[in-house]
């Protein structure tokens, strides 16, 4: 009995397969399809489109998220690269500017060595005093480098100031603008110029060293240097270059201080004063030279 039932099932399966292939063949061979087939095909297509739209939307959203993450990662990398590029560019510009300054400084020292026997200690300005009234800068050379108190400090343009105090590896430099005209005294006295760093500087005119003399101090009202104690017979004139005279033993002779802008009678009506434009830039100092006079 079980065998008969198994044969029937096999027979039904075979008949079904035959009918399927017959119907499949008839469908392919016919150019026209029936109404039920059209309905079935449209229904299946509509159902597929119904599910396909949300699927595509989800797929697009997922792809957009992936694209956003990719763009975010790329933008982050580009920002880091741009930041590094900007940092490197700034560093390169600074190095190029420093290289030019050092070349000028080297040329200046070689020229000065040929003119005199002074020893120069190159130094880099590392800090400006936070107190605007102290007018002090810090440089990266000190006592270990042979720097001593009251040594003159210059730039390639002219006189900057003098060493106020030293540590082993750094020194504080008092700028020329700290030499207040109110505190100015006759610099012909060695003691006066050596003991107080705010005293005026003895000066003369380049090319007229034998005929011109005065003392230079800073005038905070005009922002200029003032050369005072100029005798009526002094040939100093507008445009002349003011240099250190060497009197007093602190500032070596021949260092450029500035150029004469004008000359007028002093308040007492006896001597003359001259307003002098400083040669050095006291605000943008980067590298300076400390002058050592050989003993």
């Amino acid at each position: 009995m079980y065998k008969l039932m198994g044969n029937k099932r096999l027979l039904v399966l075979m008949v079904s397969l035959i009918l399927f292939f017959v119907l499949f063949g008839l469908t392919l061979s016919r150019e026209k399809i029936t109404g039920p087939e059209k309905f079935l095909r449209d229904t299946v297509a509509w159902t597929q489109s119904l599910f396909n739209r949300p699927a595509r939307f989800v797929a697009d959203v997922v792809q957009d998220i992936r694209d956003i993450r990719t763009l975010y990662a790329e933008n982050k990398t580009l920002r880091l690269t741009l930041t590094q590029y900007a940092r490197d560019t700034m560093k390169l510009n600074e190095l190029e500017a420093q290289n030019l300054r050092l070349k000028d400084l080297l040329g200046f020292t070689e020229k000065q060595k040929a003119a005199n026997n002074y020893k120069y200690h190159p130094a880099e300005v590392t800090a400006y005093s936070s107190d605007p009234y102290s007018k002090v800068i810090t440089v990266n050379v000190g006592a270990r480098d042979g720097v001593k108190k009251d040594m003159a400090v210059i730039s390639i343009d002219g006189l900057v100031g003098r060493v106020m105090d030293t540590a082993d590896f750094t020194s504080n430099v008092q700028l020329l603008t700290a030499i207040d005209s109110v505190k100015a005294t006759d610099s012909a006295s060695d003691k006066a110029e050596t003991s107080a760093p705010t005293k005026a500087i003895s000066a003369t005119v380049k090319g007229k060293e034998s005929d011109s003399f005065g003392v230079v101090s800073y005038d905070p009202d005009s922002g200029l240097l003032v050369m005072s104690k100029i005798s009526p017979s002094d040939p100093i004139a507008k445009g002349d270059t003011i240099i250190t005279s060497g009197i007093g033993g602190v500032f070596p002779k021949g260092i450029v201080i500035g150029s004469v802008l004008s000359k007028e009678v002093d308040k007492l009506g006896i001597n003359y004063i001259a307003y002098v434009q400083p040669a050095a830039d006291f605000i943008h100092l980067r590298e300076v030279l400390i002058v050592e006079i050989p003993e």
Side-chain angles (χ1 to χ4, degrees):
M1 184 176 181
Y2 289 104
K3 186 176 180 180
L4 181 60
M5 292 179 64
N7 292 333
K8 288 182 177 181
R9 289 179 180 177
L10 182 59
L11 181 61
V12 171
L13 180 60
M14 291 179 64
V15 172
S16 299
L17 288 173
I18 293 171
L19 291 175
F20 173 78
F21 285 114
V22 171
L23 291 174
F24 183 75
L26 292 174
T27 304
L28 291 177
S29 61
R30 286 185 297 117
E31 296 181 357
K32 296 183 179 181
I33 58 176
T34 62
E37 288 176 336
K38 291 181 179 180
F39 175 77
L40 181 60
R41 180 180 294 181
D42 293 340
T43 302
V44 171
W46 180 82
T47 305
Q48 287 177 343
S49 64
L50 185 65
F51 287 98
N52 190 36
R53 289 178 182 175
R56 285 186 178 179
F57 176 77
V58 174
D60 291 341
V61 170
V62 172
Q63 186 62 38
D64 290 343
I65 293 174
R66 290 177 180 174
D67 293 341
I68 291 173
R69 289 180 177 177
T70 302
L71 288 174
Y72 176 78
E74 290 179 353
N75 287 340
K76 185 176 181 181
T77 303
L78 289 174
R79 282 197 300 269
L80 292 174
T81 303
L82 184 60
T83 302
Q84 184 64 37
Y85 175 77
R87 190 182 299 117
D88 292 343
T89 301
M90 292 175 60
K91 186 175 181 180
L92 178 61
N93 291 338
E94 174 59 26
L95 288 175
E96 288 179 348
Q98 186 181 43
N99 186 42
L100 291 175
R101 293 196 303 270
L102 291 176
K103 283 182 178 180
D104 293 339
L105 199 64
L106 179 61
F108 175 82
T109 55
E110 293 298 327
K111 182 179 179 181
Q112 291 300 107
K113 285 179 181 179
N116 52 60
N117 62 342
Y118 300 150
K119 182 178 180 180
Y120 296 93
H121 299 274
E124 182 179 351
V125 178
T126 58
Y128 280 79
S129 174
S130 57
D131 183 2
Y133 299 101
S134 66
K135 301 172 183 177
V136 174
I137 60 174
T138 302
V139 297
N140 63 346
V141 294
R144 293 286 184 92
D145 304 291
V147 177
K148 298 178 181 179
K149 182 180 178 182
D150 285 337
M151 282 186 174
V153 181
I154 64 174
S155 68
I156 61 174
D157 299 314
L159 184 63
V160 170
R162 72 173 76 187
V163 176
M164 188 171 64
D165 55 62
T166 64
D168 286 340
F169 303 104
T170 60
S171 300
N172 286 330
V173 176
Q174 191 167 40
L175 299 177
L176 196 60
T177 52
I179 304 176
D180 195 341
S181 60
V182 177
K183 300 178 181 178
T185 61
D186 190 350
S187 294
S189 172
D190 291 1
K191 291 183 179 180
E193 189 173 15
T194 304
S195 60
T198 54
K199 302 302 181 183
I201 303 168
S202 60
T204 184
V205 176
K206 185 177 181 180
K208 305 176 183 178
E209 289 87 344
S210 301
D211 303 318
S212 183
F213 176 80
V215 290
V216 174
S217 56
Y218 178 70
D219 180 17
D221 294 331
S222 64
L224 299 172
L225 299 175
V226 177
M227 186 171 175
S228 58
K229 300 185 183 298
I230 303 172
S231 68
S233 61
D234 196 308
I236 185 173
K238 180 180 179 181
D240 283 345
T241 299
I242 305 301
I243 60 175
T244 54
S245 67
I247 298 176
V250 176
F251 292 99
K253 66 178 180 178
I255 298 177
V256 175
I257 298 175
S259 57
V260 178
L261 295 178
S262 62
K263 174 185 174 182
E264 61 185 48
V265 180
D266 63 13
K267 293 181 179 180
L268 298 178
I270 300 176
N271 294 319
Y272 283 83
I273 61 172
Y275 287 95
V276 178
Q277 177 67 49
D281 182 357
F282 304 108
I283 300 176
H284 303 100
L285 290 170
R286 297 293 185 88
E287 291 87 19
V288 295
L289 295 167
I290 300 177
V291 184
E292 179 181 354
I293 304 175
E295 297 179 358

